[in-house]
Amino acid sequence: MSFVVTRPPNRRHAKALILAATLGGCTVGPDFHPPAGPADARFTETPAPVQTVSATTAGGAAQRLVDGRDIPGEWWELFHSPQITALVRQALKANPDVAAAQATLREARANTRAEQGAWFPQASFNLQAERQAVSLAALGLPAGGSETFGLRSGAVNVSYTLDAFGGIRRQVEQLNAQAEYQQFEIEATDLTLAANVINTAINEASLQAQIDTTHDIIKADTDALNLVRQRFELGGVSQVDVLQQQSLRDTQVATLPGLEKQLQQQRNQLAVYLGERPAQYATPTLNLDDLTLPEELPVSLPSKLVEQRPDIRAYGALLHSAFANVGVATANMLPQISLTGSIGREGTNYSQVFTPGGLVWSIAASLTQPIFEGGTLLARKHAAQAALDVAAAQYSSTVNTAFENVANALVAIERDAETLQAALAAQKTSAASLAVARSQYAAGAGTYLNVLTAEQSDYSARLTLITARAARFTDTVALFQALGGGWWNRTDVEPKVAQCCGVLHP
């Protein structure tokens, strides 16, 4: 154990310490510390299964959930669809919302850099030439004339505001946090855009498959209607059978306009996502069979989610900004210390300007302490503190919503895999039932109503199977989006705002 013996500073040293403290300043207001991540062990109420069920159809592979697995930056490539990859890349490059977010970030960084100038002395140069006539009578001299003279002057003026209580530093800190918020808004915009593009393309493919299937159903219904009409003309069936078959065919025809409307609206939406107008969009519709369902899905640790989700990081930056604003409001209530000085030369002619007598200078210091502002400054501090409470609540809400998104995606992946398995079984059963009903009717052992009922069940099952297949893909997209999308592994973004913004620190 060792001891250090100190002695009180003498008066000269004490003055030096006071001066150093004044020049160095302190920073009033609360310091920001990033909130700790939740300590949850899992996302869902009950443990998620390690692997989903499978179905023997396209898009029906079992998916394995891997805890702690990192997310690739370009996660959309896991679908192994060149068309999906091309759509996402074009959207990220051409979408105006992305361009607007990037411009907003540049604006925020420029504002931060502008505020940093207050850390340094401000200097200006002034040059002035003046010519003036003065009445001799005004000087008490005999009336009858005036005297004309000129004055030439030039000076350098310097001013410096001592950031004694950290008001300027807090202001820069606040603007830097705003720039950080805009950076993560870019990541959130990119992630949302990529997910929307993929989901829209999948929905378009699903609708096209439903339309194709409906056309097949209508053709089969038309063939059956022609057959029933022939049998009716031969007296083998009643007119009721003809009308029932025609009603079934007409019902299927009536579904086509709604499906085609939705299909075109999805294509219009894709065009906008890609930075185009609907009339310019000519990309072929995606085929569901061209997509590969990722068989291994990363599941981040709950404690890592707050670092990965760009919206959480964005609201964390807003919370940081609110902390700094409290410091700004507090510093505005304390003394403001300024130093000013100027040095220059002046004279009535140029020969006098450069003589020792032409040298002029001044130096001054000022301290301004607000005394009575009608409660304005105190109210602004209270407002900043209330804004801090708002930011804290919004951050907490964002974290809760993020955990909900992940939990919902995990539940959807598990249950929609089961739905697809059941839908496939139902479609196989309905197809077999239809075959039996038609066979019995052809043999005269069944009624045509049984055939119609079986046809309706089969048609419904076929369409349900298509939507169940599409849901497996959109559920996977939702999980990647809920986990943050792997932006930190991309090479075309700036993952660390503190390192990328070019911010100077005092």
Side-chain angles (χ1 to χ4, degrees):
M1 180 179 295
S2 61
F3 297 88
V4 178
V5 178
T6 62
R7 59 181 180 180
N10 59 31
R11 183 174 300 178
R12 184 181 62 183
H13 291 162
K15 291 181 179 179
L17 290 174
I18 294 173
L19 179 61
T22 302
L23 293 176
C26 61
T27 306
V28 296
D31 291 325
F32 173 74
H33 300 285
D40 302 48
R42 59 175 182 264
F43 291 103
T44 53
E45 183 178 359
T46 58
V50 176
Q51 183 170 301
T52 68
V53 300
S54 62
T56 55
T57 184
Q63 292 181 300
R64 191 164 65 91
L65 303 174
V66 184
D67 290 335
R69 174 72 64 87
D70 199 9
I71 303 173
E74 296 184 339
W75 52 271
W76 48 85
E77 294 184 349
L78 297 178
F79 294 103
H80 298 290
S81 169
Q83 187 170 342
I84 285 288
T85 299
L87 288 173
V88 173
R89 288 180 177 173
Q90 181 178 345
L92 294 178
K93 179 180 179 181
N95 187 277
D97 292 339
V98 174
Q102 292 171 343
T104 303
L105 174 60
R106 294 195 300 271
E107 177 188 8
R109 289 179 176 175
N111 287 334
T112 302
R113 188 64 187 89
E115 184 64 24
Q116 291 167 1
W119 284 332
F120 305 99
Q122 310 297 303
S124 63
F125 175 71
N126 176 265
L127 181 64
Q128 184 175 353
E130 179 181 356
R131 190 160 184 82
Q132 183 176 356
V134 179
S135 170
L136 297 179
L139 299 178
L141 299 176
S146 62
E147 182 68 25
T148 301
F149 67 94
L151 180 66
R152 285 85 174 174
S153 64
V156 175
N157 305 307
V158 180
S159 64
Y160 180 61
T161 300
L162 292 177
D163 193 21
F165 300 101
I168 296 175
R169 278 169 287 177
R170 288 300 192 196
Q171 184 66 37
V172 172
E173 181 183 357
Q174 187 269 335
L175 291 172
N176 190 30
Q178 287 290 332
E180 184 177 355
Y181 166 77
Q182 294 299 337
Q183 172 68 47
F184 286 112
E185 279 292 283
I186 290 179
E187 312 308 342
T189 299
D190 286 354
L191 176 59
T192 302
L193 179 61
N196 286 343
V197 166
I198 300 171
N199 284 333
T200 305
I202 292 171
N203 290 336
E204 180 191 353
S206 173
L207 289 165
Q208 185 63 63
Q210 293 177 59
I211 290 172
D212 293 341
T213 300
T214 302
H215 278 297
D216 293 340
I217 292 171
I218 292 173
K219 182 179 183 303
D221 284 344
T222 301
D223 293 341
L225 177 59
N226 292 334
L227 180 61
V228 173
R229 283 173 175 169
Q230 292 174 6
R231 297 189 66 179
F232 170 70
E233 293 173 357
L234 296 174
V237 297
S238 68
Q239 189 177 13
V240 172
D241 293 333
V242 176
L243 294 175
Q244 286 177 333
Q245 180 62 51
Q246 184 170 349
S247 175
L248 180 61
R249 196 278 306 268
D250 292 345
T251 299
Q252 296 301 327
V253 171
T255 63
L256 271 178
L259 292 172
E260 291 172 343
K261 177 191 73 173
Q262 295 178 58
L263 175 66
Q264 192 57 56
Q265 289 174 341
Q266 292 294 301
R267 290 180 62 80
N268 293 343
Q269 182 65 78
L270 262 180
V272 173
Y273 285 148
L274 300 183
E276 300 175 350
R277 290 178 291 280
Q280 300 172 311
Y281 188 68
T283 302
T285 298
L286 181 71
N287 192 323
L288 277 180
D289 294 336
D290 294 337
L291 292 176
T292 299
L293 190 69
E295 297 185 9
E296 287 194 350
L297 296 178
V299 181
S300 305
L301 299 175
S303 59
K304 295 289 291 182
L305 187 65
V306 295
E307 300 176 14
Q308 297 177 183
R309 286 267 299 215
D311 56 343
I312 294 179
R313 296 293 295 272
Y315 274 91
L318 290 181
L319 182 60
H320 187 176
S321 175
F323 267 88
N325 268 337
V326 174
V328 171
T330 303
N332 288 339
M333 301 175 67
L334 299 173
Q336 309 297 312
I337 303 173
S338 300
L339 300 177
T340 59
S342 68
I343 184 171
R345 290 181 175 276
E346 65 179 16
T348 56
N349 54 59
Y350 287 111
S351 61
Q352 293 178 343
V353 169
F354 297 100
T355 63
L359 178 66
V360 293
W361 60 269
S362 69
I363 187 170
S366 66
L367 184 149
T368 304
Q369 169 62 58
I371 297 176
F372 180 74
E373 298 285 344
T376 299
L377 298 180
L378 182 60
R380 286 175 179 169
K381 180 180 178 181
H382 290 166
Q385 291 170 333
L388 175 57
D389 293 338
V390 171
Q394 290 176 334
Y395 177 84
S396 178
S397 177
T398 303
V399 172
N400 291 341
T401 300
F403 273 70
E404 178 192 8
N405 294 157
V406 177
N408 288 344
L410 291 173
V411 170
I413 285 173
E414 177 188 3
R415 298 308 179 190
D416 283 345
E418 297 171 353
T419 299
L420 179 58
Q421 187 184 64
L424 179 62
Q427 191 275 325
K428 290 180 177 179
T429 301
S430 64
S433 176
L434 177 58
V436 171
R438 285 174 174 170
S439 176
Q440 289 178 342
Y441 179 72
T447 65
Y448 197 70
L449 181 60
N450 291 339
V451 175
L452 293 176
T453 302
E455 285 180 345
Q456 289 176 325
S457 297
D458 181 61
Y459 301 161
S460 176
R462 290 169 66 180
L463 296 176
T464 299
L465 182 61
I466 293 172
T467 57
R469 288 176 56 201
R472 294 294 307 278
F473 293 107
T474 55
D475 291 342
T476 301
V477 173
L479 179 62
F480 280 116
Q481 183 179 11
L483 293 175
W487 59 269
W488 55 94
N489 287 324
R490 285 171 56 190
T491 58
D492 59 336
V493 297
E494 298 171 282
K496 299 295 184 182
V497 176
Q499 298 176 4
C500 72
C501 292
V503 176
L504 303 176
H505 296 283

